[in-house]
Amino acid sequence: MRKIGVITDIHGNLAALTAVLDLLDREGCEEIIHTGDVVDIGPHSRECLELLLSRQDVTCLLGNHDRDFADNQTQVRNLSHVPSEHKQQVFATLTEELRRKVKSFPVYVTRDCGGSRILFCHYAFNPMPLGIDQYLFKPIDMYPTAEAFDALFDGVEADAVFFGHKHEPCDIKGNRLYVDVGSVGCHPQPLARAVVIEYDDTTWSYRRICAPYDMDSTKKDMLNEIKCGQHLYDFYFMLNTKK
């Protein structure tokens, strides 16, 4: 059986990224697909980008925070919880060479696995091409159903879609299978999450895996090294304040 590892929403959490990549390497994945949002929120956006780009087996897709970096867009988006001053600080640590590479990230890719077509993306996306002021992704459905996902992904030619953006895993079967992988390292548990797709010429399946990581070190760096770190940690990592 061949294997594809799927991860999403690293958001600058280097400790979580390192842990999950080690786990996927031990799994023997031939390819790792990150479905978007390498940067912002966590304390190590540059290091995470550089690590992913250094690997020949990783395919990076464009997330909304990645696109903001590519376009140097630091204005707070509607419904965003990431302040402008944080994005300004993060983007200042990233190079023009990294911006050029992020600009080249595709919005989606497809893979043929076991006779099925699987699409990978950050979330349901609006038709291309987009103007610089147009939002790339459709609004998040906070309480998704099969019918809602069928509407969001209407017109997508795939048997299954693997994505992220909402940070919370889900598995829903509608006109096709919808799998939110769940954020690697932007959620309240000290577990770096991933999905492994296994396939041969005629069949495919997937399973969820996770690796423990040192969340305390991530918290320390967030509070000490980045602007708005306390606010971001409280919102994205604390169980009592997670929205």
Side-chain angles (χ1 to χ4, degrees):
M1 299 291 281
R2 304 177 67 181
K3 295 181 181 180
I4 298 173
V6 191
I7 55 177
T8 191
D9 294 274
I10 292 167
H11 283 298
N13 190 335
L14 183 62
L17 175 59
T18 302
V20 82
L21 289 178
D22 287 346
L23 180 58
L24 292 172
D25 286 343
R26 294 196 300 272
E27 284 279 344
C29 294
E30 298 179 5
E31 180 183 21
I32 297 170
I33 298 175
H34 180 260
T35 75
D37 279 359
V38 182
V39 304
D40 284 343
I41 300 175
H44 300 296
S45 291
R46 178 178 58 80
E47 293 89 342
C48 289
L49 265 177
E50 290 176 343
L51 176 55
L52 290 176
L53 291 170
S54 73
R55 295 184 52 132
Q56 298 300 310
D57 59 348
V58 172
T59 299
C60 288
L61 306 183
L62 193 68
N64 50 298
H65 288 268
D66 306 321
R67 188 188 186 219
D68 283 349
F69 165 56
D71 294 337
N72 199 26
Q73 170 60 262
T74 60
Q75 183 177 354
V76 177
R77 298 282 191 178
N78 185 36
L79 302 180
S80 174
H81 303 282
V82 180
S84 291
E85 53 265 43
H86 170 78
K87 297 175 81 71
Q88 290 166 359
Q89 181 193 28
V90 170
F91 294 175
T93 70
L94 305 175
T95 66
E96 287 303 315
E97 176 66 12
L98 287 173
R99 177 174 280 117
R100 182 186 66 80
K101 291 180 178 179
V102 171
K103 278 180 178 287
S104 71
F105 288 178
V107 174
Y108 71 92
V109 294
T110 61
R111 299 289 184 265
D112 292 323
C113 300
S116 295
R117 188 171 194 256
I118 301 178
L119 183 138
F120 303 85
C121 59
H122 191 56
Y123 199 69
F125 47 88
N126 288 309
M128 308 297 168
L130 293 173
I132 192 169
D133 294 326
Q134 290 180 285
Y135 196 61
L136 181 56
F137 300 102
K138 298 178 181 180
I140 292 177
D141 192 312
M142 299 306 294
Y143 305 99
T145 62
E147 293 76 15
F149 274 145
D150 285 343
L152 279 171
F153 288 93
D154 183 44
V156 168
E157 296 182 2
D159 301 296
V161 184
F162 285 73
F163 57 96
H165 196 30
K166 192 171 181 284
H167 298 187
E168 299 171 1
C170 75
D171 307 83
I172 294 178
K173 185 70 170 69
N175 292 335
R176 58 188 66 83
L177 175 65
Y178 303 101
V179 179
D180 189 326
V181 177
S183 173
V184 169
C186 194
H187 60 94
Q189 290 79 34
L191 298 171
R193 303 183 295 205
V195 160
V196 173
I197 297 173
E198 298 179 285
Y199 67 100
D200 57 21
D201 290 340
T202 58
T203 62
W204 73 279
S205 62
Y206 74 97
R207 54 189 167 88
R208 295 184 179 275
I209 60 173
C210 62
Y213 77 94
D214 184 2
M215 188 168 157
D216 289 338
S217 69
T218 298
K219 176 183 179 181
K220 178 181 177 182
D221 290 347
M222 287 185 71
L223 300 188
N224 293 332
E225 297 182 13
I226 62 173
K227 292 183 178 180
C228 311
Q230 185 72 64
H231 161 75
L232 293 168
Y233 182 82
D234 288 347
F235 187 86
Y236 288 101
F237 291 82
M238 293 294 290
L239 282 169
N240 292 334
T241 56
K242 180 85 165 64
K243 301 296 190 293

